[in-house]
Amino acid sequence: MALKQKLQFWLAGLRFLAHVHKILPFARMSPAILLQRRARRFPLDTALLFEDRAYSWSELDQHVNRYANWLTGQGLVRGDVVALMMDNRPEFLMIVMAFSRVGIYGALLNTSLRDQALAHAIGVAGCRGIIAGSEYADVVKALGDDERPDHVWIQVDGDNDDGGINDAVASSPAAAPAGAVRPRNTDPFCYIYTSGTTGLPKAAVVTNQRMLGANFIFGTMMHRSRRGDVIYVTLPVYHTNAMSIGWGAALATGAAIALRRKFSVSQFWTDVSRYRATSFVYIGELCRYLLNAEPHPDETNHRLRVAVGNGMRPEVWGPFQERFNVPVVREFYGSTEGNAPALNFEGRPGMIGRIGRGREVVACDPESGELIRDRSGFARRIAAGETGLLLGRISRFMRFEGYVDKRASQSKVLHDVFRSGDRYFNSGDLVQLHNGGWLSFADRLGDTYRWKGENVSTGEVAQILGTVAGVEETTVFGVPVPNADGKAGMAAVVPGAGFDLGGFTGDVNQRLAPFQRPVFVRLVQGSMKITGTFKHQKNEYSRDGFDPTVVSDPLYVLSRGEYQPLSAAVFEQIQAGELPLG
């Protein structure tokens, strides 16, 4: 690390240390109290930018008080759980902060949830009520009578109340409510749900300590924001990245947050320029979409200093920084519920950070995730150059709050890993250990499959395919094949300008080992199926498989080194084991 970088790092570290007392387990602090202090100290500073509206810290705090007073007027009390389903807009943040102010636990619903998944998310958190934006009123009303909570309140998007709560909230007192609380740091702040890509969503417990810790670490050391800075957030605020690392970082440092309803490739650079953003929060695929887009007149007309996020693939990292003139990309690794974070403070391309105290990378079966234990029954730490499972030691200071569902929480805990009685959080993620303790993300357990007697990393294959000319986006997974051991690789590919099947085939054969080459390719017409947080819906593609009667997109199969169209007749040959694969 250069001398200037070291100095900046240590100065940022000192800023963080000044706030450590606020995030200790025995402290009594919450995001709502932090907001109140921000409003008292800097009442006229800009806190929130949304479309053509700007809110000062004082204005925002008064809106939060109105919602808090309205909530207590509904008979809600400290410890109640209320769900929130709403697009990115100021009211979302106001309501979440109001929950915090009176000790209500907000269950932040993924807005893509429907029917059974939505009912499950509401039920598993024990929600007493739900506040829905009018944009999701019909979704909530479509639930059965026994699936909806006792109370359903509609917050109307716009000036027309039309039977919603808007007028009642607006007429509530702007003074702090009598029921304002000073919660323990170990009390819940909110529940944030896992994506549900591998089953029904689980409600992860985010305590005040966890929220505030992320706020101060990311605000002071990753964004390195100050008053007058602007953090641009286009990810959904029901997700940790936007809530903790976007809004929370602004709250912790006095920067403003510029919020957009939903991510837009065409409007991203326009927003960054007009809001004079100094940093933004990303998920890797968001950056790929921007890189694949046509040039935009504002793409270098900005004052961005840093991008902070996770999932930036190595083949995107350098070209993204160079094309858009983003000086630093600071990648991190973490999960909403986990205790094994990694932070790349230095902005080293391709790395998620260095391994820290309490984190371990151990040998495991990459397909099943089972630890490889020695004769004494204990795990083996891997060496540099190897790939293993990332674990986080559970202790008083590295807590694992887990999920509302205690059984789901226990399923993530490993016992007797290095000695009898110890406990570790199982991240479920494979990482590669590099010299100097650096880590890079490898794959998720379950995304690795076995073909021709070899373990295949879907992340590694997808990374290579992503650099092939004309490939805009790709996701890789394994599919079962009759009369074959293991699973064959399949790639769903979004072809762009310049895509050529012959050139694609040449790159596959040249750059991938025989066992890594996707046996099946699906050329996705349109855009990739993704979750609200830009995760590929691998399960859906895997369920579709390679049956041409199920899949309407063009399908191809690799046979004798060439991709040929996968027709109904060819499908029958595969089923009968008559077509050589690979």
Side-chain angles (χ1 to χ4, degrees), residues 54-87:
Y55 297 82
S56 69
W57 288 109
S58 177
E59 285 179 286
L60 189 60
D61 191 58
Q62 289 175 17
H63 281 293
V64 168
N65 283 337
R66 287 192 172 94
Y67 274 104
N69 281 306
W70 174 82
L71 287 165
T72 56
Q74 305 308 302
L76 296 167
V77 298
R78 183 175 182 173
D80 281 344
V81 182
V82 177
L84 177 61
M85 191 174 198
M86 188 180 290
D87 281 341

Side-chain angles (χ1 to χ4, degrees), residues 218-246:
F218 279 88
T220 59
M221 300 196 68
M222 296 290 273
H223 290 281
R224 300 186 185 176
S225 297
R226 296 180 180 275
R227 291 174 60 200
D229 285 334
V230 177
I231 301 172
Y232 180 55
V233 174
T234 184
L235 298 171
V237 281
Y238 59 70
H239 188 255
T240 305
N241 283 35
M243 176 56 67
S244 295
I245 298 157

